[in-house]
Amino acid sequence: MKVLITGIAGFVGSHLVEKLLKKKDEVFGTYLPGESLENIQNIRLSLHLSGCDITQFDQLSRLVKRIQPDLIYHLAAFSSVGKSFTHPLETIKTNVYGTLYLLEIVRSLKKQIKILVVGSSDMYGKVLPRDIPITENTPLSPVSPYGVSKATCDLLAYQYCKSYGVYVIRARSFNHTGPRQRTGFVIPDFASQIAQIEAGLLPPVLKVGNLSAKRDLSDVRDVVRAYVKLMQRGKAGEAYNICSQQGYSIKNMLKVLLSLSKKKITVKLDKKRSRPSEIPVLVGDNTKIRKTVGWKPEIPLERTLKETLDYWRKRYKVF
Ligand code: A2R
Ligand code: GDD
């Protein structure tokens, strides 16, 4: 199989490519020219890498036509919900146009190519308490530029499948974390500060944003396993929640991370980390993917949090 991953050097892309190489797939990947390739430095020689800005139709078109992949995992995106509030244009341009261009390029090719479009639970937005856990039929009510962009990509994927017969599978991923996720997301934000405090690089004060939100958090390695299974068994045009079906408060996740450190650390609210509109609860129902694709999460949250903290400890040379 010739597989193309857009956004291969990002957090999820770097875990997905490791999994695909074990399956002996031939992997092609795109990165944004200028971005760091650190996440994939150990496997670079096993891949075909190309710089490509997905907002440039001609670049993307030349690349896909040259590779002629059988499968495309579309991960490249502006991925931060928090930053999307201050960068709405860049968010919409990258996510909506990038996805639309890819769908349009695939539509124009004679070859049948399967695409997995990676969406987000953020597209569900502020759901009513009676709609928790969220199923794939819950209405989309996004409240961030990022959520709007991902809702649009999800609908474009649906329309390209129904109108033009493009084989698109719509993944709706809830929160996921693990080693290599960069700061700007809650777990690396907390874990990187703890590691810096342990290394003596920061005073023992951990800055946090809103701790009352509840999220459904999975391990990135479980999530990439879901992507591979969806590519094998997912139905064209269908949407699938990828989630643990467990709601964890951010406060409790912080408690677990702090309990893994011997340092006495105080917690301080940093108003700059709050958002103009916050989704209080995002917990998904994973019945559909369990029943139709045969996926379930396997890695316990405690292990994910410990391995993420250890990743940051290694970066700051705590050990
Ligand atoms: O932002 P950078 O320089 O790290 O590059 C990101 C890349 N990217 C692009 N690639 C091509 N053309 C663009 N215009 C463009 N803008 C950004 O996509 C990064 O390497 C990759 C996305 O990876 P992460 O930001 O690490 O996100 P993550 O967590 O791997 O998310 C994968 C997918 C995304 O669609 C998220 O929205 C979704 O899962 O949650
Ligand atoms: N980033 C961050 N940093 N968030 C914090 C902090 C902090 O210091 N303190 C509290 N939070 C809260 C946020 O306000 C939010 O309620 C929650 O922690 C999770 O924030 P993020 O980790 O930034 O994730 P997200 O839920 O906004 O978005 C992530 O999950 C989506 C799937 O639901 C991202 O990974 C998206 O790309 C992904 O699509």
Side-chain angles (χ1 to χ4, degrees), residues 11 78-83 85 118-123 146 150 172-177 181 183-190 193 206-217 250 253 269-270 273-275 277-280 282:
F11 162 55
F78 186 102
S79 60
S80 164
V81 176
K83 283 197 193 128
F85 287 103
V118 175
S120 166
S121 57
D122 205 60
M123 73 177 77
Y146 175 81
K150 288 292 181 173
R172 293 179 176 175
S173 316
F174 285 62
N175 295 57
H176 40 291
T177 194
Q181 190 176 34
T183 53
F185 302 94
V186 67
I187 301 302
D189 276 353
F190 293 171
Q193 288 183 75
L206 195 149
K207 292 186 182 160
V208 300
N210 173 23
L211 294 184
S212 66
K214 250 192 189 173
R215 290 289 183 273
D216 181 325
L217 189 66
I250 303 296
M253 293 193 246
L269 179 69
D270 174 4
R273 289 169 192 253
S274 320
R275 299 171 179 184
S277 50
E278 175 71 272
I279 302 173
L282 276 176

Side-chain angles (χ1 to χ4, degrees), residues 7 9-13 32 35 52-55 75-77 79 94 118-119 146 150 176 182:
F11 162 55
V12 179
L32 182 62
E35 80 165 291
C52 174
D53 181 342
I54 60 164
T55 67
L75 304 179
S79 60
T94 307
V118 175
Y146 175 81
K150 288 292 181 173
H176 40 291
R182 63 182 148 173

Side-chain angles (χ1 to χ4, degrees), residues 5-10 29-38 40 44 49-60 62-63 66 76-77 90 94 182:
I5 304 175
T6 67
I8 197 165
T30 74
Y31 61 92
L32 182 62
E35 80 165 291
S36 160
L37 299 180
E38 188 190 350
I40 50 170
R44 258 184 96 155
L49 280 180
S50 306
C52 174
D53 181 342
I54 60 164
T55 67
Q56 302 300 314
F57 184 88
D58 292 342
Q59 267 183 40
L60 188 60
R62 272 197 303 274
L63 181 102
R66 173 170 55 81
E90 200 184 334
T94 307
R182 63 182 148 173

Side-chain angles (χ1 to χ4, degrees), residues 201-232:
L201 299 169
L202 280 181
V205 181
L206 195 149
K207 292 186 182 160
V208 300
N210 173 23
L211 294 184
S212 66
K214 250 192 189 173
R215 290 289 183 273
D216 181 325
L217 189 66
S218 298
D219 190 288
V220 64
R221 291 154 292 194
D222 275 336
V223 170
V224 299
R225 203 166 37 78
Y227 292 165
V228 173
K229 283 205 172 220
L230 279 175
M231 199 58 117
Q232 290 164 342

